[in-house]
Amino acid sequence: MQDIEALIADLVAANHILSAEHVVDAFGHISVRDPRDPKRFFLSRARAPELIEAGDIMEFNLQGEPIDGRGRQPYLERFIHGAIYEARPEIQSVVHNHSHNVIPFGVTGEKLYPIMHSCAGIGHEVPIWDIADKFGDTNMLVSNVAMGRDLAARLGTGATALMRGHGCVVAGRSIRHAVQIAVYLDLNAGLQMRAAALGKIKFLSKGEIDAVNGPGVGSERAWEYWCVRAGVPYRSAGTPGL
Ligand code: MN
């Protein structure tokens, strides 16, 4: 039980960090898979991430049904999370956000690629999912299991995907990993737009991306820094890695 409490505390911290780093605003969310049952995940009730407390965290099955709702209102787009956990057994944490810098890429079809070493976690390239391809005119929200699964299929085996006219998703091996990629996905998008205005970009090569993403990549230092910036207690993961 102690481990679950610590996991929930990290999930609450992650919500505050993503808000402090301007990856989410009133909207956007992060979840974590339940280590006791891989067919369940934890996600806040529908609330702005900066305001989330441990009592807001709900548990869902992979179809997005609450395990213990207690009258709490879930996020409409919880299906994003369940579908990615269903498709990707190795993924432990999922972020969905509408960060501003990613939007121009999703609507133009201009591909995002890692532009600097710390952004290598976004993957070799970032696919774009267009909800209209399969579902026609919608309110753009991933509001059922079928939509979630279609998005998860576009994500494929990668860490990130853009959602046309909406935002993006990030899939990580841990809460820390997903937060780090989400922060650097937005940074990469901003830098890529600025560099593109100057001239032709030399992105990281495939080998460089693989080398950065190899064993030993650690985000504990970043996690401690982000906790302090967000004003939430820092809890060591106990290992220097992810
Ligand atoms: Mn959304």
Side-chain angles (χ1 to χ4, degrees), residues 141-235:
L141 303 179
V142 181
S143 50
N144 60 51
V145 171
M147 289 174 173
R149 285 175 176 163
D150 197 50
L151 170 58
R154 191 78 187 98
L155 174 68
T157 58
T160 56
L162 303 190
M163 302 158 72
R164 193 269 304 170
H166 182 166
C168 60
V169 290
V170 173
R173 297 189 299 270
S174 66
I175 291 174
R176 285 159 167 71
H177 191 219
V179 166
Q180 180 161 332
I181 296 171
V183 169
Y184 283 103
L185 175 62
D186 185 68
L187 180 70
N188 195 103
L191 291 173
Q192 189 171 329
M193 276 186 281
R194 288 160 63 186
L198 294 177
K200 184 170 168 29
I201 301 172
K202 183 173 183 178
F203 293 102
L204 267 65
S205 70
K206 184 177 187 308
E208 287 168 341
I209 294 166
D210 289 341
V212 174
N213 290 333
V217 60
S219 64
E220 194 62 26
R221 179 176 9 164
W223 181 257
E224 181 185 17
Y225 166 72
W226 284 324
C227 282
V228 171
R229 274 166 62 91
V232 295
Y234 165 66
R235 183 187 67 83

Side-chain angles (χ1 to χ4, degrees), residues 77-195:
E77 294 196 286
R78 60 195 180 277
F79 306 101
I80 293 171
H81 301 262
I84 293 174
Y85 292 127
E86 180 182 68
R88 301 280 299 277
E90 84 285 13
I91 291 303
Q92 303 302 327
S93 183
V94 172
V95 176
H96 165 59
N97 71 72
H98 315 143
S99 70
H100 297 177
N101 285 319
V102 304
I103 301 299
F105 291 89
V107 298
T108 58
E110 193 69 31
K111 282 289 184 67
L112 269 170
Y113 300 99
I115 197 167
M116 66 182 288
H117 67 301
S118 52
C119 299
I122 70 172
H124 292 280
E125 67 169 72
V126 182
I128 300 169
W129 178 69
D130 188 342
I131 193 170
D133 286 347
K134 190 162 184 181
F135 301 99
D137 287 337
T138 65
N139 64 0
M140 309 298 287
L141 303 179
V142 181
S143 50
N144 60 51
V145 171
M147 289 174 173
R149 285 175 176 163
D150 197 50
L151 170 58
R154 191 78 187 98
L155 174 68
T157 58
T160 56
L162 303 190
M163 302 158 72
R164 193 269 304 170
H166 182 166
C168 60
V169 290
V170 173
R173 297 189 299 270
S174 66
I175 291 174
R176 285 159 167 71
H177 191 219
V179 166
Q180 180 161 332
I181 296 171
V183 169
Y184 283 103
L185 175 62
D186 185 68
L187 180 70
N188 195 103
L191 291 173
Q192 189 171 329
M193 276 186 281
R194 288 160 63 186

